[in-house]
């Protein structure tokens, strides 16, 4: 979820934010957001895409519209940026702040798609379910016939997409929409890019193998989860110590049993024991831990069966690797068409490195893979 400004390393950002919080100068996440953002990128149009900042359902969004004549109805992508529910902006889900993000400026032209990037509220001060409510409100509003018609969108070719924390939101939105009787237009697809999907088992093989790897060390992911789910600092301490799982979670743990849901090569030599249950009262104090809107991997199979086809991207060197892999397996078991693309040479956030000053071949390869799937399935 985290993003860093050019020339400043993530460890340096984290250290400065920790120091600021220790001295009582600024909240850790506020400090990280302040340091990591050089400047917000203004909406910048070109000959291919018109970019505007507006509001849908009272929520700020950045709207990307193809310039060329549609030649028929267009696709649409509702995009939710990453940043651990604490960082990021609708115009900057990437590492470069020096120009429009290639993630989003490429989509409208390549797919002939309307792209809506949602500027949802961030933690702190806004905690779950504020972020979910914002993206859900925008998506539900956009799926109205009159709005789709206004933007020339084919109701049968709309998808949700997101990276990291945004992948979490996209998965949660897809689930909620499938059960909303007020929504007649159904999603065509969901694109989940190294998503964070559960907060109960933070000792998965991927957390063990990648605890200290860039761009998302395990301790930072724990901090993101705790900031998103509660203002109580006790949750972070409990999560870090593995004492945060409510006893009421016991019936849900088979849904996270990585000895069943992970491919053998991801399980490696690790032995499954399952998360230890914490003390009584955790479910009352931190109900979001058991809420599928916050942790979509906790959804029962009956709910998963109603979901649209999915593209799930995971990276080998990523603490969130196993979340995405288990969700892909559970979707497939529920009968949902799934393309699980696992990049064995990639790390969390790799697909954001698409432009100067940090441009990587692996970023372009993953982006092209994702685009190829969208062209065929949306």
């Amino acid at each position: 979820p985290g993003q860093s400004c050019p020339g400043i390393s993530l460890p340096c950002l984290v250290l400065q934010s920790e120091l600021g919080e220790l001295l009582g100068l600024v909240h850790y996440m506020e400090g990280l957001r302040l340091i990591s953002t050089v400047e917000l990128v203004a909406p910048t149009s070109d000959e291919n895409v018109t970019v505007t900042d507006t509001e849908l359902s009272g929520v700020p969004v950045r709207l990307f519209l193809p310039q060329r004549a549609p030649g028929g109805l267009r696709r649409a992508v509702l995009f939710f940026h990453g940043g651990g529910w604490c960082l990021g902006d609708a115009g900057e889900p990437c590492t470069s702040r020096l120009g429009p993000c290639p993630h989003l400026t490429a989509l409208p032209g390549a797919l002939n798609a309307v792209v809506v990037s949602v500027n949802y509220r961030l933690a702190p001060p806004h905690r779950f379910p504020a972020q979910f409510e914002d993206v859900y409100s925008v998506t539900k509003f956009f799926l109205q016939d009159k709005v789709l018609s206004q933007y020339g969108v084919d109701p049968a070719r709309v998808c949700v997409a997101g990276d990291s924390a945004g992948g979490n939101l996209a998965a949660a939105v897809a689930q909620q929409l499938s059960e909303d009787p007020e929504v007649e237009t159904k999603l065509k697809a969901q694109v989940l890019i190294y998503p964070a999907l559960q907060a109960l088992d933070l000792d998965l093989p991927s957390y063990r193998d990648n605890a200290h790897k860039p761009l998302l060390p395990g301790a930072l992911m724990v901090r993101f989860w705790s900031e998103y789910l509660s203002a109580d600092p006790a949750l972070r301490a409990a999560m870090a110590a593995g004492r945060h799982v409510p006893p009421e979670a016991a019936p849900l743990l088979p849904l996270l049993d990585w000895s069943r849901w992970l491919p053998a090569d991801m399980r490696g030599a690790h032995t499954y024991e399952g998360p230890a249950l914490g003390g009584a009262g955790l479910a009352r104090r931190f109900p979001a831990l058991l809420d599928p809107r916050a942790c979509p991997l906790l959804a029962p199979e009956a709910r998963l069966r109603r979901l649209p086809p999915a593209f799930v991207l995971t990276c080998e060197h990523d603490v969130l690797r196993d979340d995405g892999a288990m969700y892909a397996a559970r979707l497939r078991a529920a009968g949902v068409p799934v393309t699980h693309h696992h990049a064995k040479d990639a790390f969390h956030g790799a697909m954001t490195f698409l432009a100067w000053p940090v441009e990587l071949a692996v970023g372009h390869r993953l982006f092209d893979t994702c685009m190829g799937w969208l062209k065929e399935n949306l």
Side-chain angles (χ1 to χ4, degrees):
Q3 303 144 0
S4 61
C5 61
I8 301 179
S9 69
L10 181 62
C12 180
L13 294 173
V14 169
L15 181 60
Q16 291 182 66
S17 297
E18 289 176 344
L19 182 60
E21 184 170 64
L22 183 64
L23 296 175
L25 300 176
V26 65
H27 185 282
Y28 175 83
M29 285 300 170
E30 296 286 2
L32 195 59
R33 186 154 62 235
L34 177 65
I35 297 168
S36 64
T37 301
V38 176
E39 59 178 334
L40 299 183
V41 179
T44 305
S45 302
D46 58 26
E47 67 276 8
N48 298 314
V49 184
T50 299
V51 186
T52 56
D53 285 342
T54 183
E55 288 189 357
L56 295 179
S57 191
V59 179
V61 301
R62 181 157 290 186
L63 191 63
F64 299 77
L65 299 174
Q67 289 272 30
R68 74 172 188 265
L73 295 176
R74 292 185 165 112
R75 302 173 170 105
V77 178
L78 292 126
F79 186 85
F80 314 137
H81 67 79
W85 309 279
C86 299
L87 309 173
D89 178 85
E92 52 163 9
C94 59
T95 54
S96 175
R97 305 296 197 269
L98 305 181
C101 181
H103 260 107
L104 301 180
T105 54
L107 282 173
L111 294 176
N112 189 25
V114 174
V115 177
V116 181
S117 183
V118 184
N119 217 6
Y120 54 85
R121 288 170 289 175
L122 300 175
H126 305 287
R127 317 284 177 171
F128 173 82
Q131 291 82 343
F132 170 80
E133 289 174 343
D134 283 355
V135 296
Y136 191 75
S137 177
V138 168
T139 306
K140 187 172 178 177
F141 179 85
F142 189 80
L143 289 176
Q144 296 177 97
D145 288 343
K146 62 181 180 181
V147 179
L148 294 170
S149 177
Q150 176 185 347
Y151 293 110
V153 170
D154 185 343
R157 304 181 80 183
V158 181
C159 82
V160 290
D163 61 321
S164 197
N168 166 284
L169 295 170
V173 165
Q175 289 186 12
Q176 189 83 353
L177 283 172
S178 72
E179 299 182 344
D180 193 330
E182 297 179 352
V183 180
E184 296 182 359
T185 300
K186 302 303 180 183
L187 294 175
K188 174 72 170 179
Q190 53 182 323
V191 176
L192 314 178
I193 302 167
Y194 26 78
L197 297 170
Q198 60 83 35
L200 290 180
D201 192 345
L202 302 179
D203 191 36
L204 300 169
S206 58
Y207 273 85
R208 299 175 190 175
D209 294 341
N210 303 300
H212 304 292
K213 292 183 181 178
L215 291 171
L216 185 64
L220 181 57
M221 191 63 230
V222 168
R223 185 70 190 254
F224 280 137
W225 269 120
S226 65
E227 293 291 349
Y228 178 43
L229 300 182
S230 176
D232 188 343
L235 178 59
R236 175 161 55 103
M239 293 178 96
R243 300 192 307 267
H244 67 291
V245 181
E248 294 85 347
L252 300 174
L253 294 184
L255 304 179
L256 312 177
D257 182 348
W258 54 261
S259 68
R260 175 184 180 186
W261 298 113
L262 277 186
D265 59 339
M266 290 188 185
R267 297 196 299 267
H270 299 289
T271 301
Y272 180 77
E273 296 178 355
L277 300 180
L282 285 168
R284 175 180 51 78
R285 294 176 63 193
F286 310 116
L289 287 167
L290 305 179
D291 193 327
R293 295 176 303 164
C295 302
L297 196 52
L298 300 181
E301 182 173 311
R303 193 179 204 196
L304 299 184
R305 289 194 201 108
R306 292 189 282 266
L307 293 176
F311 176 86
V312 182
L313 171 66
T314 56
C315 298
E316 180 69 20
H317 308 289
D318 180 6
V319 294
L320 297 180
R321 177 195 70 200
D322 296 351
D323 280 20
M326 287 196 291
Y327 198 55
R330 290 202 56 221
L331 288 172
R332 194 173 289 117
V336 178
V338 179
T339 298
H340 175 203
H341 182 79
H342 181 62
K344 292 191 174 182
D345 60 344
F347 53 90
H348 188 84
M351 207 175 83
T352 62
F353 292 94
L354 297 173
W356 186 90
V358 185
E359 185 173 4
L360 299 177
V362 67
H364 285 281
R365 191 186 79 232
L366 296 181
F367 182 76
D368 290 344
T369 299
C370 182
M371 289 293 293
W373 188 88
L374 280 169
K375 288 178 180 178
E376 291 184 8
N377 293 278
L378 181 59

